[in-house]
Amino acid sequence: MSDPGNYAGSADRSIGQLVASATAEMSALVHDEIALAKAEVRQDVRRGAIGSLAFIIAGVLALFSIPVLSFAAAYGIHNLGLGLAWSFLVVGVAFILLGVLLAYLGVRKLKKIKPPEKSIASAKQTAAVLQKAKPHPRASIAADAIIERSGSTLSGKSVESGSGKDEAATVARSST
């Protein structure tokens, strides 16, 4: 069978060995999950490509059938006793009316589109929070350390005026 010392719960293994084993198992699990996700995505992409190709072919066939059906409609109207030119005119006007109707419906739908109010509100809220955020405290500590280490006359003036500390903080932030 197998050696009981190879199990993660074995009392003979050290903490380091247990951590290494757990890390290796987690790594293997993550790799397996990634491989599974890749396989699923690959299969979905293949299905999507085949479905898209079927829709494209159906659209092309429908597009090619429009002139044939137009001629059939015009000749059908002609067989009812109307002149051939008038029959084609009736079919053409019917297509124009259908196009105008679809354009009208499309404009009505487009006018109903509103801006993404929730996203805008969330972005404004995030911007307000970020404006109120204070700089990281380490930047000011680094600025104090730069002033103390420099030993220049700027450090003496900065204590009196307070502006040197801001300049040093700006330098410290820009250098990181």
Side-chain angles (χ1 to χ4, degrees):
M1 297 220 155
S2 64
D3 183 21
N6 289 336
Y7 292 117
S10 175
D12 296 339
R13 297 175 69 186
S14 69
I15 297 288
Q17 290 172 334
L18 292 174
V19 169
S21 174
T23 303
E25 290 175 12
M26 286 297 293
S27 177
L29 178 64
V30 168
H31 286 291
D32 290 345
E33 290 292 329
I34 290 171
L36 177 63
K38 283 181 181 179
E40 288 177 347
V41 168
R42 199 174 297 125
Q43 186 177 17
D44 288 343
V45 166
R46 188 177 306 125
R47 286 180 183 157
I50 292 170
S52 298
L53 183 64
F55 275 120
I56 290 170
I57 292 172
V60 167
L61 292 176
L63 185 65
F64 286 163
S65 69
I66 290 174
V68 173
L69 294 175
S70 299
F71 278 102
Y75 280 110
I77 294 171
H78 175 66
N79 285 339
L80 294 176
L82 197 59
L84 190 59
W86 288 106
S87 300
F88 276 96
L89 184 64
V90 167
V91 171
V93 169
F95 278 136
I96 289 174
L97 289 176
L98 183 63
V100 168
L101 176 67
L102 289 173
Y104 172 71
L105 292 174
V107 167
R108 278 188 47 202
K109 290 293 182 182
L110 288 176
K111 284 185 178 179
K112 290 182 181 180
I113 295 175
K114 296 178 182 175
E117 295 168 356
K118 291 180 181 178
S119 297
I120 292 172
S122 175
K124 286 181 180 179
Q125 184 180 14
T126 302
V129 167
L130 290 176
Q131 285 178 350
K132 293 177 185 177
K134 296 178 181 176
H136 198 277
R138 284 187 275 179
S140 63
I141 292 170
D144 291 337
I146 290 171
I147 292 171
E148 289 176 9
R149 280 187 285 180
S150 67
S152 68
T153 58
L154 177 62
S155 64
K157 292 179 184 176
S158 66
V159 173
E160 295 170 3
S161 65
S163 64
K165 187 174 182 180
D166 293 336
E167 292 172 11
T170 303
V171 169
R173 272 188 242 120
S174 67
S175 66
T176 56

